[in-house]
Amino acid sequence: MGYLTTDKKKVTAKTLLEMKAAGEKITQMTAYDFTTAGIIDAAGIDSILVGDSASNVMAGNMDTTPITVEQMIYHARAVVRACQRCLVVCDMPFGSYQVSREEGIRNAIRIIKETGAGAVKMEGGREIADTVKGIIDAGIPVIGHLGLTPQSIHKFGGYGLRAKEESEAKKLIEDALALDAAGVSGITLEKVPSALASKVTSMVKAATIGIGAGNETDGQVLVYADALGMTQGFKPKFLRHFANVNQCMTEGVQEYIKCVKEKSFPSVEESY
Ligand code: KIV
C-alpha cells in the first residue's frame, strides 16, 4: 500500500473502538511470518497479533521470556509486509518496558519505526499504566493484556485459570480501569472466567479481546498454529481446532517422499 493510496477499509486501532461500539466482533489471530500472515490477512481477519508466543511457536522455547526486541522486530516486519487490510499488533517482549518508563517508550517507538505495525501490546495493569500512557502520548496505540500474562510465568508458576478468587477478580477490574484511563485501544483478557470478562467488557471503553475468556468479550484471539491444528498435544478447554493443518502437511510431505523415492517426481514435464 503506497502512501498516496488511502484504503478506507484498513483496520486501525481506532477501528477496534468503532467495532466495539457497533457490536461487531473483532477477529484476531497470531502470525509471525510473511507467508502465514498473507494467508490470514487475505482470509479477512481484522487483526494479526505478532505475539511473543513466537518464542514458543517459532523457536521452540519453553516460555515467552527469551524473545528479544530484535527478534520481535524481525517477525513483525515480515508480517506487516504481507498485510493489506488488517491491523498488525506487535507484542513488546519481556524486559522491553519493565525497567523504566523511558525505556518502554523508546522500545515502543523503535518497534513501530522498524516494523510498521499499527499498535503494540503489553502485559500488566496499574504497575505499567504510566508507561502505557507515555507510549500513547508518543502517538502509539497500545493494547493491554491481563489475566494469564505469560511473561510473568516464573512468578505465577503455571498457566492455570486466573482471577478465580474475588480478590484477584477485583484487582483485575482495577487494572483494566487503570489501562482504560491511560487510553488503551484494547485489552487482551487471557484465561479468566467468562463472567469476569463480560463485566470488564461492559466497564471499559477499550475493546476487549478474549482467549479462554468466554463469548462476551468484544473479540477473540487464538494462536494460529493451535487454531489451525498444527500443534500436537496442546488442547486446553478454550481451544477449538478450525482445521487440521498438521494432517494436511503430514500427508503432503509423505506424498512428496513417496514420489521422490519411486522416481515419479520430477516428471519429464517438470524437468528442463
Ligand atoms: O503472544 C501471544 O500469542 C499472546 C496471545 C496468546 C494473546 O499474547
Side-chain angles (χ1 to χ4, degrees):
M1 194 63 55
Y3 78 102
L4 292 176
T5 324
T6 312
D7 180 358
K8 293 217 165 54
K9 291 196 293 288
K10 177 102 181 79
V11 181
T12 67
K14 208 168 146 232
T15 317
L16 304 185
L17 301 172
E18 290 163 4
M19 290 174 80
K20 177 180 177 116
E24 186 187 340
K25 288 279 186 188
I26 298 159
T27 55
Q28 188 181 61
M29 208 178 249
T30 69
Y32 321 99
D33 70 275
F34 179 86
T35 306
T36 311
I39 295 170
I40 294 174
D41 179 61
I45 203 93
D46 297 314
S47 175
I48 286 181
L49 169 65
V50 186
D52 57 2
S53 50
S55 176
N56 311 89
V57 181
M58 294 285 107
N61 291 315
M62 288 298 287
D63 58 59
T64 61
T65 58
I67 201 159
T68 63
V69 170
E70 283 71 22
Q71 289 164 339
M72 289 305 300
I73 287 173
Y74 170 83
H75 289 295
R77 196 186 277 153
V79 167
V80 168
R81 274 192 210 116
C83 294
Q84 302 282 320
R85 175 186 173 270
C86 73
L87 167 69
V88 178
V89 179
C90 182
D91 253 338
M92 292 193 66
F94 178 60
S96 66
Y97 57 95
Q98 288 88 351
V99 175
S100 73
R101 183 175 182 273
E102 283 65 30
E103 199 170 286
I105 297 170
R106 197 169 294 118
N107 278 320
I109 290 172
R110 181 170 172 216
I111 286 171
I112 296 299
K113 250 185 187 308
E114 296 185 26
T115 67
V120 295
K121 179 167 81 58
M122 300 161 70
E123 296 182 10
R126 278 161 295 179
E127 71 284 5
I128 61 159
D130 196 34
T131 305
V132 166
K133 183 164 184 330
I135 294 171
I136 295 168
D137 287 346
I140 300 170
V142 175
I143 311 293
H145 185 154
L146 296 171
L148 171 56
T149 46
Q151 292 180 10
S152 307
I153 188 61
H154 298 307
K155 181 169 149 191
F156 293 105
Y159 292 98
L161 183 70
R162 297 296 197 261
K164 280 177 293 194
E165 308 302 330
E166 208 177 312
S167 59
E168 289 174 279
K170 187 168 168 283
K171 185 182 172 306
L172 189 141
I173 290 171
E174 286 165 7
D175 284 337
L177 291 174
L179 292 175
D180 207 41
V184 294
S185 308
I187 302 177
T188 301
L189 292 173
E190 182 164 356
K191 232 171 168 188
V192 297
S194 314
L196 176 62
S198 171
K199 191 168 176 185
V200 171
T201 300
S202 66
M203 289 174 86
V204 295
K205 292 188 290 298
T208 58
I209 303 182
I211 172 165
N215 200 10
E216 287 178 40
T217 49
D218 298 308
Q220 297 290 330
V221 57
L222 284 175
V223 169
Y224 88 90
D226 300 335
L228 302 182
M230 295 175 86
T231 36
Q232 296 280 284
F234 179 69
K235 186 69 180 68
K237 182 178 168 174
F238 70 80
L239 178 63
R240 188 187 296 181
H241 286 157
F242 292 88
N244 192 344
V245 175
N246 189 301
Q247 189 183 331
C248 183
M249 279 184 77
T250 303
E251 286 170 5
V253 174
Q254 285 170 342
E255 181 64 11
Y256 168 71
I257 293 168
K258 179 175 149 288
C259 292
V260 172
K261 296 281 188 193
E262 71 184 18
K263 302 181 186 160
S264 69
F265 177 82
S267 64
V268 173
E269 292 75 27
E270 288 158 332
S271 304
Y272 297 98

